[in-house]
Amino acid sequence: MFTKKEMKIGAVLLIMLTGFCSNLKAQTVKKVQSHTFEIRDGSFMLDGKSIQIHSGEMHYARIPKPYWRHRLKMMKAMGLNAVATYVFWNYHETEPGKWDFKSGNKDIAEYIKTAQEEGLFVILRPGPYVCAEWEFGGYPWFLAKVPGMVIRGNNDQYLAATKAYFTALYGQVKNLLVSNGGPIIMVQGENEFGSYVAQRKDISLEEHKKYSAAVFQQLKDVGFNVPFFTSDGSWLFEGGALPGALPTANGEDDVAKLKETVNKFNGGKGPYMVAEFYPGWLDHWAEPFPKVSYKSVAKQTRKYLDGGVSFNYYMVHGGTNFGFTSGANYDGKHDIQPDLTSYDYDAPISEAGWATVKYDTLRMMLKTAETPAVPAKIPVIAIPEIALSKAVDLEDLKSKITPINDDKPLTFEELNQGHGYVWYSKKFNQPISGKLELAGLRDYAIVYVNGVKVGELNSYYKNYECDIDIPFNATLDIVVENMGRINYGSKIINSTKGIISPVIINGQTITGNWDMYKLPMNTIPDLAAMKNSASVGRPTLYQGSFNLTKTGDTFLDMKDWGKGIVFINGINIGRYWSVGPQQTLYVPGCWLKTGKNEIAIFEQKNDSIHKSVSSVLQPVLDKLKTE
């Protein structure tokens, strides 16, 4: 039992301790200030005063959550006053009607709050279409399964889906709008819609306008009540501009033309803004890594500053397309141009959060007396050798999967699978030989006869056929990879994956008893009970572990590997491919731990047996190899 005196002393100590903890919390959580923001008299008005927006695009989904604050501090130290971010619909609606705004890097509300704490305003770009070199332009893959659904079109099924998305998003961010004391000062209505209007001339402008007006109205109906804007090339305003939204011009470097075009669609006045000012550019596998000089970026920034033009660097920091989030483009020579895992973008802040010459140059131009110091660089480590103790043929994993059987090969969507791989298999009772034609391949396949590799087909190179000889009582296997759905252009509506048309051999359509094994690779396969069975030329799963006494960012060296994906401590850090130009994979130190760490690699080609893998201190993003 305590005496009254002891209880009194304890109570005083408890009060003192509570006060100390409250003070400590107050010191660690930055105070935020409420503001007013409006577009009035041709200006952006903050707290009743005209301002210029100096923003940088940075996507929460492409940065590990523990690094959000560091990257936002980097932006603030560059002299910026706002951060712009897309919202990725498919990142949050993981299954029809199932929403995730909390796990992993998905807590967008926390990202926006952190930006406010670091003294940055937020420009929100909810789409529903975002482009962004992101899988399917942000659309959930399963929309294609909805009867009557036409994405980005004026139809009831699609508009019901967008309304549900906007409603779910508003529930997360409503308290973060500037009208409610938060940092979100502007919201975009649709995204680059003028481009889509120009690409889809088979749809009337009137019908396009009905769609964009309907989506814009949905944003307002669910509760978004801050200033709106649109963003398009200045020559595309007719298709993309929306009444009641400020038109901004992407990539427009001519200040006079910018002002003239905005005036035409905005009642003869500003404010004037370039919502996407490109200090770098996007990157595809098998193509040179594009570079934009720091001098040209600085020169254009000076034009905007002198011309009273607000701007948003796209990207100020690109980050990484972790997992299966990277999208794809296409052109006349390639049916698909898959985007790299790295979204470095040659941006002022590198993929790993480092200040570049471009960053330092722009900071000198943009900083003021109040601009904070550049935060310290996150430590970097090299891991000389990671031993791979397991090497298991993918066939062993496949044998534990119950196949789906059909008369013809089914697409990923028909198999109710969004990403990863599908193993198509057919037994032949009679021999057949000749040309194998796989015109409906989406996107990459390795072909085997009785377990022996006989061909490699690829939508990038438009390589859809190979010679084949299938003997009596043999098995044909085709392992197909989805390399990311189209994110830009009219072909976005044709983003079905897998084998989407008949398999033809020697002019004959091959039907009957196709077995399909689903390999989504959304988690690390369990190899614990499996024996080493890998052989050269066969798809292989490798596993290993490594111990660390200290953690830090690092870059896995994949230059001697073929094609596949890597998991670190259960997280898919992305795709590698020997063609380059990316030859390393970024491993955030916050996903490593002192003590034991696990690695798993799915190697599709396996041209040699690997015993180990290592990491290096510097990324390699610009080394092409001949396939």
Side-chain angles (χ1 to χ4, degrees), residues 432-487:
I432 187 170
S433 63
K435 184 182 292 182
L436 167 67
E437 299 177 66
L438 208 59
L441 170 64
R442 304 292 185 273
D443 302 302
Y444 175 94
I446 301 181
V447 183
Y448 306 88
V449 174
N450 281 345
V452 177
K453 177 180 173 180
V454 297
E456 186 177 319
L457 308 180
N458 190 316
S459 294
Y460 177 81
Y461 296 109
K462 291 189 175 182
N463 179 17
Y464 296 116
E465 57 187 45
C466 65
D467 292 330
I468 197 165
D469 184 8
I470 301 176
F472 166 74
N473 201 33
T475 300
L476 169 67
D477 294 311
I478 307 172
V479 182
V480 176
E481 175 191 9
N482 165 10
M483 292 190 69
R485 291 176 177 82
I486 299 297
N487 61 253

Side-chain angles (χ1 to χ4, degrees), residues 18 41 48 57 68 87 105 108 126 176 238-239 251 281 351 359 368 380 398 476 531 546 552:
T18 302
D41 300 330
E57 186 97 8
W68 284 350
V87 183
N105 308 327
I108 186 171
L176 299 169
E238 183 181 2
W281 195 241
E351 179 182 15
Y359 177 94
T368 67
V380 182
K398 170 207 158 205
L476 169 67
K531 296 180 180 179
F546 56 100

Side-chain angles (χ1 to χ4, degrees), residues 74 149 187 245 259 287 332 406 414 440 491 502 514 591 594:
M74 289 290 292
M149 171 78 74
V187 171
K259 292 183 176 181
E287 296 176 11
D406 201 271
E414 289 170 329
K491 289 186 180 180
W514 279 95
W591 290 347
T594 55

